[in-house]
Amino acid sequence: MNFAPKGVLPAMITPLTKDGNVNEKALRNLVDFLLEGGVHGIFAIGTTGEFYCLSNDEYRMILEVTRDQVAGRVPVYAGANHITTRGSIELAQIAQEVGVDALSVLTPLFISPNQDQLIKHFTDVAASTDLPILLYDNRPKTHVALQPGSVVKLAKIRNIIGIKDSSGDMTNTAECIRLTRDMDFDVMIGRDTLIHANLCYGGAGAVAACANVAPRICADIYDKYMAGDIQGSLEAQFRLAPLRIAFGLGTFPTVIKEALELLGVDAGPCFEPVGPMSSDEKKQLKKILKEMGLL
């Protein structure tokens, strides 16, 4: 396919009202905040977007609003993540109807499919849509690993154009790059502390949760690298690291939403049972944002 993922894509949060509904106004404002920060695409309804909490109607609404607000300025990617193949296909077809540019499909979670079953899952989802697809391996969350050998087999499918590797294992990421380097296939990193490393290995960019809060810093890692300023890219990566490490201060993804609120960007709460950070945790987060020059 002609479509190729590249650059830094924020794994966008889903802004909520205090009563737990999708906040359309905040969503539109967030899209503009991210684009003004220099990101190269918008990645909606992934893990950071709390996909596991949304109805199909909410899913459609978020994609419609996101696509409308982006207005063609950058590509829009949509997660089509579900425990079942049938569920992922339903989401993929909604996303195609809305008119997004590409899909990301996570390995099933909760269950433990083997590699043959994973290959069939992704093959069947790919056959259900004309959209380009990024495979998505987030084994720390799902406890399901898509092995590099399986990635190679799936890369032969026409509309499977890359992978978001959130394994956090650079050896795994490097193998995906090495084994597909002669194919029409791109590797995006899903671990924010490894964006620069992925580019050094020949990866295409990142899907970064931290880009919600620090879009310009994340974009700088990519932009400076592509401009030949390797040291500048590395310095931007080092500047970003404390924010990603701070994710452990609260239950995911509350740290990202709380950080946005500290920056004056309306994000709202997380879906319950995820609750807010403690006052001490917020104090630590605020200190990190100040040291990064964001506050």
Side-chain angles (χ1 to χ4, degrees), residues 58-204:
E58 289 170 321
Y59 177 83
R60 183 187 294 274
M61 175 265 201
I62 293 166
L63 293 185
E64 288 175 342
V65 171
T66 300
R67 183 175 180 272
D68 180 67
Q69 193 66 25
V70 169
R73 289 177 282 177
V74 295
V76 175
Y77 299 70
N81 309 317
H82 200 277
I83 293 174
T84 67
T85 303
R86 179 177 67 180
S88 287
I89 288 173
E90 287 176 1
L91 296 174
Q93 291 174 345
I94 292 171
Q96 181 162 312
E97 290 168 7
V98 171
V100 303
D101 297 286
L103 292 175
S104 168
V105 181
L106 180 64
T107 58
L109 56 159
F110 184 70
I111 56 175
S112 301
N114 61 33
Q115 294 301 299
D116 288 341
Q117 291 163 351
L118 288 174
I119 289 170
K120 186 174 189 305
H121 170 73
F122 286 111
T123 299
D124 289 349
V125 176
S128 75
T129 179
D130 296 324
L131 290 173
I133 289 176
L134 276 177
L135 309 171
Y136 181 11
D137 182 336
N138 192 349
R139 59 190 70 176
K141 295 287 188 187
T142 65
H143 305 290
V144 175
L146 184 64
Q147 300 297 345
S150 299
V151 171
V152 173
K153 293 177 182 178
L154 290 165
K156 297 174 184 177
I157 295 173
R158 179 189 62 88
N159 59 331
I160 294 182
I161 49 91
I163 185 171
K164 175 191 175 186
D165 181 12
S166 297
S167 67
D169 180 349
M170 201 60 218
T171 298
N172 186 82
T173 306
E175 277 298 277
C176 288
I177 294 170
R178 182 180 73 84
L179 294 172
T180 63
R181 66 192 185 281
D182 295 326
M183 305 174 74
D184 188 14
F185 190 85
D186 291 292
V187 176
M188 304 286 280
I189 200 78
R191 184 61 64 91
D192 297 3
T193 49
L194 298 176
I195 300 171
H196 179 83
N198 186 50
L199 294 172
C200 290
Y201 268 92

Side-chain angles (χ1 to χ4, degrees), residues 244-261:
R244 176 59 182 84
I245 293 167
F247 281 12
L249 289 175
T251 303
F252 183 84
T254 190
V255 171
I256 304 169
K257 288 192 169 183
E258 299 260 14
L260 281 167
E261 292 284 345

